[in-house]
Amino acid sequence: MAAFTANDSITKVVSSEMNFGQVILVRGLFAMVLVAAFAWYQDALRPLRTLMIKPVVLRVIGEIGGTLAFMVALVHLPLANTSAILQALPLAITLGAAVIFGEPVGWRRWSAIAAGFIGVLVIVRPGLAGFSQYSLFALVSVAFCTLRDLATRRIPAKIPSLFITLLTTVTVTSAGGVILVPLGGWSPPSATALGLQALAAVLLLIGYQCIISALRTGDISAVAPFRYSALLWAMSLGYLVFGDVPDAMMVTGAATIVASGLYAFYRERIRHRALAAESSGSPPEGV
């Protein structure tokens, strides 16, 4: 989360010099070189037909859609506001797992999901002063990222995480190249912008690799709450780099989302402990 948020800050800085299609393309080219070299060194390269496996296809679609929508929001909204809306992702994943995978969700967690999305509405504030249509792009990004993370859980274990990272980087970079011309074409970047983009590529590699490994090896309900740390990074970097001070509605909405997500996580842990106790024949501790 620290790596992703620092990458977002750099992206927002260089977006004043080039359109976000070019940002995605340049950053992606740096990242592709790094990831490909690392994958070759780790013997993680696989045939390109791996891209045709359904969960991989869905993950790529989710990553491309989530990245493009997030970039639109990031360029036009304060960093903390964009990040706060993205904090609804763990709740959206819980909702998606219940609807798509049939995972059981009790009324308490349904209530937490509802409260979390109310928090999103407080941040977006539709119909009120301060509403920005670009907030809707952040919500679209949440939907695509939910697809991405749910699909990641269904990717066969034999496919290395590093190769998935490479496929993701290549496809997202290609998407940046496709939208470059409609967004205004190529602008010669400064040396400072190129250096920042190279740094962003390194941060993106770290973030991708960590989150894919976490989602594939850890319980999704245990991994998801750690996303909330991104909000702290976003508020800190937003203030230090851009001078953004979150208003009362943003803080209230963000606090509601985080509290709802943490409660949903708490209820999920209780459920797992209860199931473990049932399978062992002993009563669950603390329930």
Side-chain angles (χ1 to χ4, degrees):
M1 291 302 102
F4 279 134
T5 309
N7 164 73
D8 294 340
S9 298
I10 292 173
T11 298
K12 192 170 178 65
V13 169
V14 299
S15 65
S16 61
E17 190 173 314
M18 61 186 78
N19 64 66
F20 68 81
Q22 185 174 342
V23 172
I24 294 173
L25 176 61
V26 175
R27 181 188 65 187
L29 290 174
F30 281 118
M32 280 170 54
V33 173
L34 291 172
V35 177
F38 195 25
W40 175 80
Y41 178 74
Q42 295 287 333
D43 195 27
L45 296 177
R46 296 294 184 272
L48 283 179
R49 63 175 179 272
T50 304
L51 186 59
M52 294 299 103
I53 297 175
K54 184 177 179 180
V56 176
V57 172
L58 292 175
R59 178 185 162 76
V60 167
I61 292 173
E63 189 69 66
I64 292 174
T67 298
L68 296 182
F70 180 76
M71 290 290 287
V72 175
L74 182 65
V75 169
H76 295 93
L77 295 175
L79 181 63
N81 290 51
T82 309
S83 180
I85 295 173
L86 264 289
Q87 300 316 304
L89 182 57
L91 294 170
I93 291 172
T94 300
L95 174 63
V99 173
I100 298 173
F101 298 149
E103 293 187 5
V105 176
W107 67 269
R108 293 180 180 85
R109 284 200 292 157
W110 282 120
S111 299
I113 292 171
F117 285 110
I118 289 173
V120 171
L121 291 177
V122 172
I123 297 172
V124 175
R125 63 195 84 174
L128 300 178
F131 167 73
S132 171
Q133 67 270 27
Y134 294 107
S135 298
L136 301 179
F137 283 93
L139 290 175
V140 171
S141 181
V142 170
F144 274 110
C145 289
T146 300
L147 170 65
R148 176 199 67 192
D149 288 356
L150 292 176
T152 301
R153 295 291 290 178
R154 291 296 185 265
I155 295 177
K158 64 182 180 180
I159 302 176
S161 295
L162 195 55
F163 185 66
I164 300 171
T165 302
L166 178 59
L167 289 177
T168 300
T169 305
V170 170
T171 51
V172 171
T173 301
S174 300
V178 169
I179 65 174
L180 172 63
V181 174
L183 290 176
W186 179 267
S187 301
S190 65
T192 300
L194 285 176
L196 288 173
Q197 290 285 67
L199 176 58
V202 174
L203 292 168
L204 205 59
L205 170 60
I206 294 171
Y208 274 144
Q209 189 65 12
C210 288
I211 197 65
I212 291 173
S213 297
L215 285 169
R216 298 185 74 192
T217 60
D219 181 7
I220 196 169
S221 66
V223 172
F226 284 92
R227 293 181 183 274
Y228 296 128
S229 63
L231 184 56
L232 299 177
W233 290 106
M235 293 176 70
S236 300
L237 290 173
Y239 176 74
L240 293 173
V241 179
F242 306 104
D244 295 332
V245 179
D247 60 18
M249 289 190 72
M250 200 291 287
V251 173
T252 300
T256 303
I257 294 170
V258 172
S260 303
L262 291 176
Y263 180 73
F265 166 67
Y266 166 72
R267 293 302 310 175
E268 176 70 8
R269 302 306 293 175
I270 287 181
R271 186 179 74 86
H272 280 311
R273 285 161 55 193
L275 291 174
E278 286 177 10
S279 63
S280 65
S282 58
E285 253 181 54
V287 179

